[in-house]
Amino acid sequence: MVHFTAEEKAAITSLWGKVNVEEAGGEALGRLLVVYPWTQRFFDNFGNLSSTSAIMGNPKVKAHGKKVLTSFGDAIKNMDNLKGAFAKLSELHCDKLHVDPENFRLLGNVLVCVLAHHFGHEFNPQVQAAFQKVVAGVASALAHKYH
Ligand code: HEM
């Protein structure tokens, strides 16, 4: 299980308080679909994903990105129990959606890039280290129900 120090928790919570989940969510999911195009196959009901601009401007990508980051934000209120916080979503992604858990790690790293891009100097090495832990913890919690 991932353990967070008080400093890491404070760094994560404080930066997350400034994140615009709608904007960052759409950008993170959009970038995932552009950078790792095989992830598009999970979203074949999302309409036009034929180019970078189509993906980044697709309203379904934006709406779903917001949903994903909202649940991510709820979960980091429960940093000491990410497995519990993601139990239901792990079941959904495993049993119903059959998403390869490697994709959770990819999305986590894309999210780190989006935050770095957005926050610049404020996203210093210490803040990044804390975030890398949280995205790894979320990815492992989401993969927990896979067998
Ligand atoms: C941080 C990682 C992730 C989180 C927190 C997350 C969260 C969510 C949430 C909250 C939903 C909506 C569940 C509902 O409607 O009840 C969802 C649906 C879904 N997720 Fe994820 N997800 C993550 C990563 C991924 C990845 C990497 C993929 C695929 C590459 C994926 C594929 C899907 C699909 C296909 C759906 C259903 C979409 C639809 O409504 O048609 N998720 N996810």
Side-chain angles (χ1 to χ4, degrees):
M1 208 187 79
V2 194
H3 176 79
F4 298 93
T5 65
E7 288 75 22
E8 287 167 340
K9 284 183 186 171
I12 292 164
T13 309
S14 141
L15 194 88
W16 195 258
K18 300 176 207 165
V19 171
N20 176 336
V21 286
E22 183 158 22
E23 202 183 305
E27 195 176 335
L29 183 60
R31 282 180 184 248
L32 180 83
L33 296 170
V34 170
V35 178
Y36 308 109
W38 60 87
T39 58
Q40 292 174 19
R41 76 179 187 85
F42 297 105
F43 301 100
D44 57 2
N45 59 339
F46 272 23
N48 188 358
L49 301 175
S50 62
S51 67
T52 299
S53 58
I55 291 171
M56 299 311 288
N58 184 313
K60 290 194 170 163
V61 171
K62 289 186 187 178
H64 191 65
K66 182 183 177 192
K67 209 189 263 184
V68 169
L69 274 211
T70 303
S71 91
F72 188 92
D74 288 343
I76 63 178
K77 293 180 190 142
N78 277 303
M79 260 181 276
D80 292 324
N81 182 21
L82 288 174
K83 282 197 174 63
F86 279 114
K88 279 230 163 73
L89 276 174
S90 180
E91 258 168 34
L92 175 81
H93 287 81
C94 165
D95 298 337
K96 288 230 178 82
L97 301 170
H98 310 293
V99 174
D100 180 337
E102 176 59 17
N103 294 314
F104 304 140
R105 285 176 268 281
L106 296 178
L107 182 61
N109 283 327
V110 170
L111 177 60
V112 166
C113 293
V114 168
L115 295 176
H117 184 220
H118 190 93
F119 288 101
H121 289 301
E122 195 179 346
F123 199 73
N124 63 33
Q126 222 169 354
V127 175
Q128 180 182 351
F131 261 92
Q132 298 286 165
K133 269 175 89 165
V134 85
V135 298
V138 168
S140 117
L142 272 171
H144 192 59
K145 298 281 175 182
Y146 283 68
H147 19 241

